[in-house]
Amino acid sequence: MNDSVKYTLPEDRIPRAWYNIVADLPTPPEPVLHPGTKQPVGPDDLAPLFPMALIGQEVTTDREVEIPGPVRDVYKLWRPSPLVRARRLEKALDTPARIYFKYEGVSPAGSHKPNTAVAQAFYNKEAGVSKLSTETGAGQWGSSLAFAGALFGLEVKVYMVRVSFDQKPYRRALMNVYGATCVPSPSTETNAGRSILEKDPDSPGSLGIAISEAVEVAATNPDINYSLGSVLNHVLLHQTVIGIEALEQLDQTGDYPDIVIGCAGGGSNFAGLAFPFIGKKIKENLPTRVIAVEPAACPTLTRGVYAYDFGDTAMLTPLVKMHTLGAGFIPPGFHAGGLRYHGMSSLVSQLKETGLIEAAAVHQIGCFEAGVAFARAEGILPAPESTHAVRVAFEEALKCKEEGVSRTILFNLSGHGHFDMGAYDDYFAGKLEDRDYDEAALAASLAALPQVAAE
Ligand SMILES: *Cc1c(COP(=O)(O)O)cnc(C)c1O
């Protein structure tokens, strides 16, 4: 009984509805504000960017939102994803903890991101849209939307953060395979991109800049819609298939987690696994600890402020109440491109404020150490982003050992790292550095937050 065990579900157990945590929150979410008037936005304000079905999901208070048949049909290509009892890892760590992980790297793009990409492509297609514009950091989201676009017959245009465009040619090649167009951001194609390049022709780009470009293109072209891979409520909603499946798979084990862990960039894979467990925690008054893990170099939940801010650098997006490092923030270099965003999902931020979740910040070298140890025990190579969850799972498992207690730990392995071998090479060559986000730069970035009158 020392071998790891994989818990699967038949295809017909793919969830029929996504779970909307808003229905169970102690207080309603903070409204999204118009960047000009600072009044709550209405559906018409968002209509140039998103189809009505997604705008509806952004604000719905229904507990369940039905998953359309064509979306479930595509999910069948890789869902239900496996839940694994990591017994080999438990043995390697010599811990009494029972460790489970839900593995989202089995999707065609290699991460959880297609869970929402497929849904977004479907609703846009249904609304008669022919083209989507989006941004991507390390390329995970760009390749996921490219995949979904190929299946639903949509053209996809991706603005990829310059530094990743140069460093990650294979994610870009994968987007091309799926038929998408990918250009480095800042680009000369948009006002937002041109104005950055005027000031800094060698700008490495940032997610905030790339979002400005993709939003501008969608807002100024009636046939193009915009698509975002994290942060927004409807994105988190789509990701809850992860946690709903995990709950059913855990039924087969007889275990229930004491601790649920996910890495958090914009918050979507964390929310996808955690929200169904938090819903149960609220309803049944369970003591489950839920931990969002972020990089110390981009410490949105642990060192950012909870305030209204823009989602992008050019200040085109609506204002969202969230934990933020400031929209002008450009993080120091580190190897988890998917965790480099200045803001955090509003729902995840609200849960942190109400104490329903905890947050932890970890340094990258310890994450890679954990990632390599995980691969040597369980065989799967985690994405650099996912190693943040692995790291905290290790720490909790070792605490169990010290305290001589057995707890059940569940974490989300959000993706595989097969496109990130350069980062692993750097780790083995001793080239990685542990950086904290500079206090002075943080203060300067926060000083520029938009002023919003307190209600
Ligand atoms: C994009 C990405 C993340 C971070 O995004 P979230 O929205 O916070 O989930 C984490 N892991 C992987 C593998 C990713 O591709």
Side-chain angles (χ1 to χ4, degrees):
M1 278 299 277
N2 281 327
D3 289 348
S4 299
V5 188
K6 184 162 115 182
Y7 295 90
T8 53
L9 291 171
E11 220 171 73
D12 63 359
R13 297 307 303 167
I14 290 173
R16 295 190 176 269
W18 294 297
Y19 166 66
N20 180 19
I21 196 166
V22 172
D24 294 317
L25 287 180
T27 51
E30 303 278 352
V32 170
L33 305 182
H34 190 280
T37 65
K38 312 234 166 107
Q39 294 302 309
V41 295
D44 291 346
D45 296 315
L46 298 173
L49 300 183
F50 304 108
M52 274 303 159
L54 292 177
I55 294 172
Q57 290 177 4
E58 197 56 27
V59 295
T60 183
T61 54
D62 292 349
R63 183 169 286 108
E64 295 200 328
V65 175
E66 192 189 328
I67 305 178
V71 173
R72 290 181 81 244
D73 284 342
V74 178
Y75 280 175
K76 279 178 196 162
L77 293 175
W78 72 95
R79 306 211 70 86
S81 68
L83 176 83
V84 180
R85 167 84 186 269
R87 283 189 191 265
R88 288 190 175 86
L89 178 66
E90 291 167 14
K91 205 168 159 214
L93 295 174
D94 188 25
T95 173
R98 307 158 75 80
I99 306 176
Y100 293 86
F101 64 91
K102 179 79 167 155
Y103 185 41
E104 290 297 308
V106 292
S107 80
S111 76
H112 64 289
K113 290 198 171 78
N115 295 332
T116 184
V118 168
Q120 293 189 42
F122 166 78
Y123 289 116
N124 275 288
K125 181 75 183 180
E126 217 190 25
V129 173
S130 59
K131 268 183 167 178
L132 293 175
S133 74
T134 196
E135 71 291 324
T136 197
Q140 297 258 27
W141 170 243
S143 46
S144 299
L145 194 67
F147 152 70
L151 267 66
F152 286 100
L154 288 162
E155 262 181 65
V156 175
K157 175 76 178 265
V158 183
Y159 293 87
M160 184 169 186
V161 176
R162 167 105 242 171
V163 55
S164 302
F165 186 90
D166 295 335
Q167 280 173 0
K168 301 224 161 168
Y170 298 130
R171 275 279 165 202
R172 171 168 37 110
L174 184 58
M175 292 179 229
N176 294 152
V177 166
Y178 289 129
T181 319
C182 177
V183 294
S185 163
S187 78
T188 53
E189 295 180 4
T190 65
N191 289 331
R194 283 187 294 268
S195 83
I196 298 276
L197 288 174
E198 258 165 44
K199 280 177 243 148
D200 179 7
D202 299 321
S203 169
S206 72
L207 264 182
I209 295 169
I211 293 175
S212 296
E213 293 206 84
V215 168
E216 182 184 320
V217 166
T220 50
N221 290 283
D223 60 328
I224 305 181
N225 263 0
Y226 170 66
S227 190
L228 186 64
S230 184
V231 179
L232 296 178
N233 298 356
H234 68 264
V235 177
L236 275 57
L237 176 78
H238 300 153
Q239 292 295 350
T240 58
V241 288
I242 303 171
I244 298 168
E245 287 175 8
L247 275 168
E248 183 164 348
Q249 286 161 318
L250 281 161
D251 273 349
Q252 300 173 35
T253 72
D255 275 331
Y256 191 83
D258 299 296
I259 308 173
V260 177
I261 300 166
C263 67
S268 75
N269 89 85
F270 165 76
L273 177 68
F275 279 9
F277 289 89
I278 298 173
K280 251 174 100 75
K281 171 178 161 138
I282 296 170
K283 272 178 275 179
E284 298 172 27
N285 210 5
L286 300 174
T288 325
R289 286 179 61 205
V290 184
I291 310 173
V293 188
E294 60 186 12
C298 187
T300 318
L301 280 169
T302 51
R303 285 175 64 201
V305 296
Y306 183 53
Y308 273 103
D309 197 7
F310 292 99
D312 71 325
T313 310
M315 306 183 181
L316 298 174
T317 68
L319 292 167
V320 175
K321 182 94 178 259
M322 60 183 174
H323 285 88
T324 179
L325 297 167
F329 160 87
I330 298 192
F334 67 96
H335 273 294
L339 305 182
R340 290 172 65 93
Y341 187 56
H342 70 273
M344 179 56 63
S345 134
S346 189
L347 287 173
V348 171
S349 296
Q350 187 184 343
L351 288 165
K352 170 74 179 13
E353 284 302 294
T354 54
L356 280 160
I357 65 167
E358 303 165 37
V362 292
H363 285 108
Q364 65 175 351
I365 295 175
C367 291
F368 277 94
E369 267 166 27
V372 168
F374 179 84
R376 288 178 187 174
E378 294 293 329
I380 299 169
L381 181 80
E385 291 83 2
S386 317
T387 61
H388 290 69
V390 178
R391 173 78 210 179
V392 170
F394 275 32
E395 287 172 6
E396 291 298 331
L398 293 174
K399 259 187 239 165
C400 289
K401 183 177 169 180
E402 275 161 33
E403 294 168 17
V405 292
S406 170
R407 296 190 189 98
T408 299
I409 299 170
L410 167 65
F411 71 91
N412 201 2
L413 193 64
S414 52
H416 68 63
H418 296 176
F419 286 87
D420 303 283
M421 297 319 297
Y424 278 92
D425 257 351
D426 285 352
Y427 166 71
F428 285 119
K431 286 191 197 157
L432 298 189
E433 282 174 54
D434 281 342
R435 307 221 189 132
D436 286 304
Y437 188 44
D438 181 66
E439 198 63 56
L442 177 59
S445 169
L446 290 178
L449 284 181
Q451 297 300 310
V452 175
E455 285 112 281

